[in-house]
Structure formats: structure tokens, C-alpha cells
Amino acid sequence: MDSVNKLLTTAEDEYHDFKAQWYSKTDRAELIKDIFSFVNTSHHKDCYLIIGVNNNHEVVGVENDSNRLNTQKITDFLHSLPIANAHTPKVKVTPITVENHTVDVIVIKDTLDVPVYLDEDKRPKYANRPIHAGQIFARENDTNTPIDESASDYLVQRLWKKRFSLDLTIQQQYVSKLKDVNNWEYFETDKIGFLYNVDPDYCMFLEEDDENRYKVESYALGQFRARMDWQKLVLKYRNRTISEFLVVFLDSARFMTLTPNLGSINPLSDNLLTFQYFIADTLEYTVERLFLSMKQGPTAPDGLQKFNLFQRVVVFENKNQKDQVLDELSGKQDYIEEQCNPTQEEIDRCRSLLKMDFNSHDTEMTESNIEHMCKEANVSQFIISYLKTM
């Protein structure tokens, strides 16, 4: 909760608010208002209700507060409300220790399902006042909509724009559409690609790749057949190209994946320790997640194919995590190399796999290429294991 510790010294804004104590049973309507206000923000980040800190940023703690709620209780309370379209906010209560006190942090998860409001009047048991049907609470800067009012038309308009991603760039809107995995489908007409059924302006096409590339890479070694076929994936919005990625068909063309990125531990070294990776918070990996989630079509992988692929491909949460890991590992190069040098058994197993698809004179079958791929796969596996210890 490093981000919360930083917020303790930051003035209240549209991302966080301080409360000296928990809401009593008579203040449950205020709890609804405050949670809904943070859900109904036009930005795209999580929000925090920090309980046990007063408005002067003094930590007073909640360890003796009889009104405390945990995640399960507050979630049950929200599910009991007549929320329109059943879009119940997702919240999590996390206790942290600050200055020898316990502070409860209600994390209010960001969502596109806004605005959130009730479709029936509701007066929580023991509460002093009701929440009315159709009342929309929102937060602007450090201020919530008063409990006896509803948000302005301007704020509500911003929320509807957020709901339909109209406040985002076209690249960001593409990410939003890609996450709606159930509404994408594979098609074959005069072209081959993927169509977003809700809005056919979003479409991805497969095109031939004319480059002369290796027909096997380290991340293919876990499949039943290792030979790869390369194509290009072109992301289109109407007639505009948004992005292009290389894709490969693996395991006798039984499933498709985006090609991972090639990284290196200590890239200035004469003896490179390369690995394959994705970064999770990118457009690229959002496309990859879509393909991994597909249940039907000739590009959809099965569970074993996915498992074997990601035994040899690292997935970093973000660029910062990648940079941190490589910085930590750069001083351990000799140890990593010792751990990742392939055994003769690994080399022999790789050679046997490649013989199913390649002839002895093919470049892919050279001893140096086989050793390199085995070593690269081992480095990727080493980093995957290292990430689990962080």
C-alpha cells in the first residue's frame, strides 16, 4: 500500500478522502453516498476512502472503532441495495499500520459501469435518511454531491462519456473494446480477421508477412510441434490503421499468439542472456489476452498450449516492474548463466522435437541455434520464478 502512504500527506482530491472514524449504523446512507461518489468519477483509476485519519492528516486509528466493516460485510451491504442494472461497486477493505495505529483503507475499484445509482428508494436500517431512486452522487475535486441533491448535468454527462469510452483516445478505446472478449469473433471472407460485433468499425485483419524469419523460437519449444508460421495483425478503426503486430501460428497452426518481445539481462554484456516477454498494461498484451480468452475458432488455444507458452514467456505487470527486475538481476549474471546453461538432455530433447519439422541442413537445426533457444527458454523460466518471489 505504498500509494496509500503517499496519499496520507496529500490533500483530499477526486481520488481519496479521509474519515476520522467509521460510519455508524445511522450514517449508512452517507456510506452509500461516499462510495457511489467515488465510483462516479470521470477518471479511470481506483479511489480510496481512508478511515482513521482526520482532515488535518492526523492518524487517530480505528483499532477501537466498533463500527468497522471488513470486505465481506461491506460487499454484502452493497449487494443488499437496489442498484440499477445490478452494477454493484467492487470494494476491498485493507487494514494498514500507520504510526502504531490501524487505518482501514476502502479501495473502490474503477469501473466503466457508471453512473451508479439506485432504481428504488432505500433507507438502510437505522439510517437517518433515505437514498432516492435515480439520485446520482459524483465527486469533483475534493467534494461529493450533497446527500439531498443529485449531480449536475455536466458531471453526469462526463460519466456517460466514460461508460462508452468516449472520453478516451482511439487507442484507449481500442483497449476497452478488446477487453469485451465475448463480443469478438473470428471470420473468413475475402479477408481473415476478427470483428467486434458491437461496433464493426473495430476490426483486426491478418495479412501475410513477407520477411524471411526463423521458423522456430524458444517459446515454441513446449508445443507438440515447434514450427511457426508468421503473419501480421493489423488493428483497424474504420479505414484507419491503429497499430500492427507480428503474430505466429504455433503447434501445427492450431493456435495463434502475438510474438513476444525480446529482452536481455545486462544488454551491454558480451554474453547476452536473452528472454521473451510481454508487458501486461499495453495494447499489445490486451490483444494477446483476447486471443487467449477465445473459446472457438482456429486461432483459439487449449489450456495445455497456453500453459506451455507461458512457461517460456515472462509477463511483467508494467515497464517499471521490468526495469526493476532487470536492475536487480544485472548483478547476478554469472549465477544466472550457470543456472540457465542447457543440459545435454535439454539439447537432445530440443533436437528431437525440431527433427519433426526441419531437415538437418536447415538453419533452425544448427547446434548453436538449438543451444541458444534452450538457454533463452531457461532464462525466461528463471525470471518467471524470480517474479513469484517478489
Side-chain angles (χ1 to χ4, degrees), residues 32 35-36 73-81 83 88-89 91:
I32 297 171
I35 290 177
F36 281 19
K73 289 181 178 179
I74 202 168
T75 299
D76 290 345
F77 172 65
L78 291 172
H79 277 293
S80 72
L81 303 176
I83 298 176
T88 305
V91 301

Side-chain angles (χ1 to χ4, degrees), residues 28-29 31-33 35-36 74-89 116-125 131:
R28 289 291 172 85
L31 175 60
I32 297 171
K33 174 185 75 78
I35 290 177
F36 281 19
I74 202 168
T75 299
D76 290 345
F77 172 65
L78 291 172
H79 277 293
S80 72
L81 303 176
I83 298 176
N85 302 313
H87 288 155
T88 305
V116 170
Y117 56 91
L118 303 185
D119 58 10
E120 298 176 16
D121 288 357
K122 176 69 175 182
R123 183 171 188 157
K125 190 175 182 181
I131 301 293

Side-chain angles (χ1 to χ4, degrees), residues 35 38-41 44-48 88-92 106-112 114 162:
I35 290 177
F38 272 122
V39 175
N40 291 331
T41 50
H44 293 264
K45 295 183 178 180
D46 295 344
C47 295
Y48 305 90
T88 305
K90 293 182 179 179
V91 301
K92 180 180 180 181
I106 305 178
V107 182
I108 302 157
K109 304 300 290 184
D110 180 53
T111 178
L112 295 179
V114 293
K162 177 180 178 179

Side-chain angles (χ1 to χ4, degrees), residues 45-61:
K45 295 183 178 180
D46 295 344
C47 295
Y48 305 90
L49 266 172
I50 303 172
I51 305 178
V53 180
N54 64 28
N55 288 334
N56 295 321
H57 296 205
E58 296 169 339
V59 179
V60 296

Side-chain angles (χ1 to χ4, degrees), residues 261 275 277-285 314-328 383 387 390:
N261 303 287
F275 61 92
Y277 72 93
F278 286 116
I279 295 180
D281 65 347
T282 59
L283 172 62
E284 174 186 44
Y285 194 65
V314 184
V315 181
F316 296 104
E317 292 178 1
N318 48 49
K319 184 179 182 299
N320 287 340
Q321 187 189 53
K322 170 181 169 284
D323 292 344
Q324 176 190 344
V325 169
L326 294 188
D327 183 61
E328 292 174 1
I383 298 174
L387 284 173
M390 295 182 65

Side-chain angles (χ1 to χ4, degrees), residues 173-224:
Q173 289 185 49
Y174 227 111
V175 169
S176 176
K177 302 299 186 286
L178 289 164
K179 290 179 178 178
D180 186 14
V181 297
N182 293 326
N183 281 309
W184 285 87
E185 69 175 30
Y186 174 85
F187 69 86
E188 291 186 20
T189 54
D190 57 325
K191 295 184 177 181
I192 299 174
F194 304 85
L195 179 70
Y196 184 53
N197 288 323
V198 176
D199 185 349
D201 284 338
Y202 294 87
C203 199
M204 299 185 289
F205 297 99
L206 288 170
E207 297 181 357
E208 293 299 321
D209 174 57
D210 298 327
E211 296 292 329
N212 184 24
R213 305 180 190 276
Y214 275 96
K215 299 301 183 183
V216 64
E217 296 281 358
S218 63
Y219 51 87
L221 298 182
Q223 305 303 325
F224 178 70

